[in-house]
Amino acid sequence: MAVIYKLHPESPQAHRVAKIREALREGAVILYPTDTVYAIGCDLNAKSAVERVRHIKQMSNDKPLTFLCSSLSNIAAYAQVSDAAYRLIKRLIPGPYTFLLPATKLVPRLVMSPKRKTTGIRVPNHAICQALLQELGNPIISTSAPSVIHLEDQPITTTELFDRLDKVVDVVIDDGSMVGYRVSTILDLTTDEPVVIRKGLGWEAVADLELAEVHDG
């Protein structure tokens, strides 16, 4: 059974965050809240844990995994960021956006897209995520938890989600929030012009930026 930690959504208790950090370093898989949906994750560098996340999600190795970074400078360590991409990311983070970028050598092969050598990175606007990232010092894998349940978009409560995944994860973080179903907006920044792959949360801000660029031109 998973260990449940109750954390304050805005001021997560430092001693509990430290315990979760130790679990992550030891290869734990966690169920945790983000600024989009509840996510399944682990330390980016814990290979056995990444393999477990893939197994839980039933993802083949040719499907890339998204991970969380704490800041734009942190992103630059794990991805090649062009000047144009830098300016766009800077205007949107922190927030519900996934950026597809060329991966650096710091990204494990098990995480990136093997054919394109790209990776998906987010900088969440979420106190618990940021606390974990700062405490751990490494990015954290972040993949949607509700999609594991296969309820065909039927609502599920947080309690039901915890019960369903209790035996497959090691740590559950409960901040009292709802499960969440609105996913992130995905932006492909691997080419000269940004391409919207998926319209999700925060899409309006991206549209406003595009309109502003057209108007300024």
Side-chain angles (χ1 to χ4, degrees):
M1 292 179 62
V3 177
I4 298 177
Y5 289 97
K6 291 186 178 292
L7 295 183
H8 191 281
E10 297 176 2
S11 302
Q13 299 89 327
H15 66 287
R16 293 180 184 175
V17 172
K19 288 182 178 180
I20 298 167
R21 172 205 63 202
E22 290 307 311
L24 286 167
R25 286 180 176 171
E26 293 171 3
V29 172
I30 66 174
L31 176 63
Y32 66 106
T34 74
D35 53 350
T36 54
V37 299
Y38 250 86
I40 296 171
C42 63
D43 185 334
L44 178 75
N45 295 322
K47 183 179 178 181
S48 62
V50 174
E51 290 173 341
R52 283 180 59 199
V53 171
R54 284 196 173 279
H55 178 72
I56 292 168
K57 289 280 292 188
Q58 299 181 0
M59 294 176 67
S60 60
N61 287 349
D62 62 345
K63 300 291 185 183
L65 284 165
T66 294
F67 58 89
L68 306 182
C69 281
S70 58
S71 63
L72 183 47
S73 60
N74 194 214
I75 287 178
Y78 294 90
Q80 300 170 29
V81 184
S82 68
D83 290 343
Y86 181 95
R87 289 191 295 270
L88 179 61
I89 294 171
K90 188 175 181 180
R91 296 180 71 175
L92 292 173
I93 63 171
Y97 305 98
T98 299
F99 305 105
L100 301 184
L101 294 159
T104 68
K105 292 181 179 180
L106 288 182
V107 179
R109 293 181 65 184
L110 192 59
V111 174
M112 72 172 72
S113 169
K115 292 182 179 179
R116 298 185 66 199
K117 299 294 189 293
T118 57
T119 192
I121 301 179
R122 291 193 56 219
V123 178
N125 185 18
H126 195 278
I128 290 175
C129 293
Q130 287 290 346
L132 290 172
L133 290 166
Q134 295 294 336
E135 187 75 17
L136 181 64
N138 288 331
I140 297 173
I141 295 294
S142 182
T143 181
S144 170
S147 61
V148 175
I149 309 301
H150 303 303
L151 290 181
E152 299 181 354
D153 297 326
Q154 294 180 29
I156 183 172
T157 67
T158 308
T159 301
E160 289 172 327
L161 182 68
F162 291 174
D163 287 346
R164 296 290 188 94
L165 297 180
D166 177 67
K167 291 184 174 63
V168 297
V169 301
D170 305 300
V171 171
V172 172
I173 299 176
D174 182 4
D175 70 344
S177 65
M178 303 296 288
V179 172
Y181 282 92
R182 296 192 64 190
V183 292
S184 64
T185 291
I186 301 178
L187 297 169
D188 187 339
L189 304 181
T190 60
T191 57
D192 292 338
E193 294 294 328
V195 178
V196 178
I197 303 299
R198 180 178 72 192
K199 294 181 181 180
L201 277 172
W203 159 245
E204 298 82 5
V206 174
D208 288 345
L209 282 178
E210 291 180 343
L211 290 173
E213 290 169 3
V214 171
H215 179 73
D216 291 342

